[in-house]
Amino acid sequence: MSTTVNVVCYKSKVLKNNESPLMIRVCKDWKMKYQSLGISILPKYWDFKANKPTSKCPNKEYTERLIAEKVKVYTDKVIGFKSQEKNLQQLL
């Protein structure tokens, strides 16, 4: 089964400033690992269907750049594990 790397707005956890943290989700064989991006966003500025910030999001460029960098890092890790034939459970 393939491994997926996505960014999600973790809306089940609401911070004191009413924002929700953005998390990277790595999924393999129905096992998931969440890792925080270190930033949070108001849910009204997050498109939950496309899993990306809306056009009205403040600091949209910064948020998208950070998301792209983190997704690339985790995708590179997944490819590295696959090429070395290591068990991806170590990543999860």
Side-chain angles (χ1 to χ4, degrees):
M1 181 176 244
S2 67
T3 304
T4 60
V5 179
N6 297 318
V7 176
V8 294
C9 181
Y10 205 67
K11 65 181 176 179
S12 63
K13 178 172 178 102
V14 178
L15 305 175
K16 288 182 182 179
N17 58 0
N18 292 329
E19 294 182 343
S20 296
L22 294 181
M23 309 284 271
I24 291 224
R25 179 177 62 201
V26 180
C27 182
K28 166 79 172 150
D29 295 331
W30 294 100
K31 295 181 182 175
M32 293 180 225
K33 178 181 178 183
Y34 290 91
Q35 182 68 39
S36 175
L37 283 177
I39 60 172
S40 58
I41 192 170
L42 286 171
K44 70 179 183 178
Y45 294 126
W46 188 257
D47 183 358
F48 288 95
K49 291 184 181 181
N51 279 336
K52 63 179 188 174
T54 62
S55 60
K56 296 180 181 180
C57 177
N59 298 326
K60 180 182 177 195
E61 294 82 18
Y62 170 75
T63 305
E64 287 178 334
R65 187 179 55 120
L66 182 66
I67 289 170
E69 289 173 2
K70 294 291 186 171
V71 167
K72 184 181 181 318
V73 167
Y74 274 87
T75 303
D76 290 345
K77 284 183 182 180
V78 168
I79 291 171
F81 274 77
K82 285 182 180 179
S83 67
Q84 296 174 4
E85 297 181 5
K86 288 185 178 178
N87 188 359
L88 279 174
Q89 298 307 323
Q90 295 172 354
L91 180 63
L92 300 176

